[in-house]
Amino acid sequence: MEKLAIDGGTPVRSKPLPPPFRGSMLIGEEETNAVSNVLAAQSPFRYYGPNMQYAVQTLEDLIAKDLNIPYVLGVTSCTAGLVVAMKALGIGYGDKVIVPANTFVATAGAVVSSNAVPVYVDMDESLNMDPDDLERVYDEEVKAIIVVHINGSACDMDKIMAFAKKRDLYVIEDVAQSQGCTYKGRICGTIGDIGVFSFQMNKMLTAGEGGAVVTSNPELFERAVRYHDQGSFRDKDRYQIDPKFVMSGQNYRMSELTGAVMIEQWKKLGTIIGTMRKHHRNIRAAIAAELPDVKFRAAADDDGDIGCVLGIVHPTLERARAYASAMKAENVSTHSMYDGVPVYKIPCFFEQRTAEKDNFPYNYPFKKPVIYTEDMCPKCVDLLGRITITLISPILTDEEADEIARAAVKVLKALDAKAGAGAHS
């Protein structure tokens, strides 16, 4: 039995793994030149300038082609995209929106910023929402479900879409963490009414910030465009859409600089996913060969998983914490998502506090009052801290991927031995 580094042994790796960022690690001359061209043209605004390069339009067309979806809108961030999507759907004051208990703060925050109130659905061992818990949080004041495909793996969209259809609910897909993920051959983000993507620093592709909204519905698209551009719809001729709406909006327009970077990043998606998926599958196989009883994170569609994290389900919270600490000592950074804290426990949400008067929009007199309790999503409370994740970088070498597997096997075997010794002491 190898002595763990945390106990004074020699670590599997002599130094930390490469940075876990994805798209940013592949930024090169292509992105630099693309941005330089926009700046040299003195036209960084997407709708007009002295020498337009039409980078955002080119990006939108590229995404539309690859996703096989007719309408794509570049926006300033995924958070902005979520707000734009909800405004396109007419969601606002007096509405409830179902949000997964395990998600980034932006998902719930966007609901509140859209003047609606989030209600939280539990998760399962996939780290995604548990579709069997949707009925618990549904009532007639719920207008939509935000489906968040967490860390590269799809939600169970068959069950979710069937539930939504039965109750006439909109489905927004938040694909921020899972660009390129598929569900039974369908591209995530194109299954629901509207999909939203992120190009923030941590994501599969990045320009630092940025996002996109996609839909197959021309009316929803017009409303999205208008809301993101101060009520304007400048591209109606491009899309051959007969305008139907008059509305005010805000400014969530993507700049040509972001568009230029993202054109080059988008071309690299296949390489990024292919590398991560290869390493992820090899790491899992190597661990399973040594420890066949290891329980990996579940998946609604394992074939569609893009392999951006190695997820392991541990029997107890203490065991998960011990594993994460030991892996870090082996120079393989490992952790629990969001420190094991469901999003609804974040004080601004749990205490229903906002910057607005009377904590608007929580002050709406709902027929069924929105009340949060700490244990309202018990699976998330139990599981979130017990599932550890190790990020898989697209610039990992085969040797580094092998070292991740070796470290996991080393640590798991040592923890098993300690547990066995403790049971017989």
Side-chain angles (χ1 to χ4, degrees), residues 93-128:
Y93 191 51
D95 294 326
K96 299 174 184 175
V97 177
I98 295 175
V99 171
N102 178 35
T103 188
F104 182 56
V105 60
T107 312
V111 173
V112 176
S113 294
S114 300
N115 304 328
V117 170
V119 291
Y120 299 93
V121 66
D122 215 339
M123 66 167 240
D124 58 26
E125 289 188 354
S126 71
L127 286 169
N128 285 315

Side-chain angles (χ1 to χ4, degrees), residues 279-296:
H279 289 321
H280 179 255
R281 290 175 178 173
N282 288 343
I283 292 167
R284 278 185 49 163
I287 296 171
E290 292 282 337
L291 297 165
D293 293 332
V294 168
K295 194 171 187 180
F296 295 106

Side-chain angles (χ1 to χ4, degrees), residues 235-254:
D235 278 343
K236 48 185 173 290
D237 292 335
R238 172 184 169 198
Y239 291 101
Q240 297 297 301
I241 292 176
D242 183 23
K244 294 184 178 180
F245 302 99
V246 176
M247 58 190 288
S248 61
Q250 299 193 53
N251 174 11
Y252 295 123
R253 298 180 297 249
M254 177 182 282

Side-chain angles (χ1 to χ4, degrees), residues 316-329:
T316 65
L317 179 62
E318 292 72 24
R319 169 66 175 254
R321 288 174 174 170
Y323 175 80
S325 296
M327 287 290 281
K328 288 175 184 177

Side-chain angles (χ1 to χ4, degrees), residues 376-421:
M376 65 184 177
C377 295
K379 289 183 182 178
C380 188
V381 171
D382 171 49
L383 284 169
L384 196 54
R386 288 201 291 115
I387 301 177
T388 56
I389 60 172
T390 303
L391 303 184
I392 308 297
S393 168
I395 63 169
L396 281 182
T397 64
D398 291 344
E399 181 181 3
E400 288 166 336
D402 179 62
E403 288 169 342
I404 292 174
R406 283 167 45 204
V409 169
K410 175 184 177 181
V411 170
L412 290 168
K413 282 185 175 181
L415 292 178
D416 283 343
K418 289 181 180 180

Side-chain angles (χ1 to χ4, degrees), residues 107-400:
T107 312
V111 173
V112 176
S113 294
S114 300
N115 304 328
V117 170
V119 291
Y120 299 93
V121 66
D122 215 339
M123 66 167 240
D124 58 26
E125 289 188 354
S126 71
L127 286 169
N128 285 315
M129 66 166 54
D130 179 2
D132 295 331
D133 190 48
L134 287 168
E135 189 65 55
R136 176 185 63 84
V137 295
Y138 171 75
D139 62 47
E140 63 182 14
E141 293 167 311
V142 171
K143 191 164 185 178
I145 304 170
I146 298 183
V147 176
V148 184
H149 304 288
I150 291 290
N151 263 326
S153 196
C155 295
D156 189 338
M157 292 304 293
D158 283 348
K159 286 187 176 181
I160 294 168
M161 294 302 293
F163 182 91
K165 183 177 181 180
K166 182 178 179 181
R167 290 156 185 81
D168 196 27
L169 300 177
Y170 295 119
V171 174
I172 301 168
E173 290 183 83
D174 179 342
V175 202
Q177 300 180 11
S178 302
Q179 176 71 61
C181 176
T182 61
Y183 175 78
K184 297 184 178 180
R186 300 183 67 186
I187 299 171
C188 292
T190 68
I191 302 170
D193 295 285
I194 296 186
V196 182
F197 298 84
S198 176
F199 307 136
Q200 189 267 344
M201 181 66 178
N202 275 326
K203 306 309 186 290
M204 302 306 127
L205 307 173
T206 187
E209 287 285 6
V213 179
V214 307
T215 185
S216 295
N217 186 309
E219 293 188 4
L220 294 182
F221 180 68
E222 182 192 342
R223 289 179 59 86
V225 172
R226 288 187 182 279
Y227 196 78
H228 108 295
D229 187 20
Q230 311 284 20
S232 300
F233 185 27
R234 310 183 203 218
D235 278 343
K236 48 185 173 290
D237 292 335
R238 172 184 169 198
Y239 291 101
Q240 297 297 301
I241 292 176
D242 183 23
K244 294 184 178 180
F245 302 99
V246 176
M247 58 190 288
S248 61
Q250 299 193 53
N251 174 11
Y252 295 123
R253 298 180 297 249
M254 177 182 282
S255 81
E256 287 284 276
L257 300 174
T258 299
V261 172
M262 285 310 306
I263 290 170
E264 301 306 323
Q265 282 276 292
W266 189 267
K267 297 173 185 176
K268 300 176 182 180
L269 181 60
T271 298
I272 291 171
I273 292 177
T275 303
M276 292 190 305
R277 187 173 277 159
K278 179 191 76 170
H279 289 321
H280 179 255
R281 290 175 178 173
N282 288 343
I283 292 167
R284 278 185 49 163
I287 296 171
E290 292 282 337
L291 297 165
D293 293 332
V294 168
K295 194 171 187 180
F296 295 106
R297 171 194 180 186
D301 180 2
D302 203 46
D303 290 337
D305 191 314
I306 62 176
C308 61
V309 301
L310 170 70
I312 294 179
V313 185
H314 301 271
T316 65
L317 179 62
E318 292 72 24
R319 169 66 175 254
R321 288 174 174 170
Y323 175 80
S325 296
M327 287 290 281
K328 288 175 184 177
E330 302 293 337
N331 280 311
V332 179
S333 182
T334 299
H335 60 280
S336 297
M337 287 195 70
Y338 308 128
D339 296 322
V341 178
V343 69
Y344 65 81
K345 286 193 175 185
I346 295 173
C348 64
F349 300 125
F350 192 74
E351 299 173 14
Q352 301 186 0
R353 296 179 180 271
T354 71
E356 313 301 330
K357 183 178 179 181
D358 300 325
N359 290 317
F360 172 91
Y362 290 106
N363 63 354
Y364 186 84
F366 289 109
K367 296 177 183 177
K368 183 179 178 181
V370 177
I371 299 172
Y372 304 145
T373 62
E374 291 196 2
D375 60 352
M376 65 184 177
C377 295
K379 289 183 182 178
C380 188
V381 171
D382 171 49
L383 284 169
L384 196 54
R386 288 201 291 115
I387 301 177
T388 56
I389 60 172
T390 303
L391 303 184
I392 308 297
S393 168
I395 63 169
L396 281 182
T397 64
D398 291 344
E399 181 181 3
E400 288 166 336

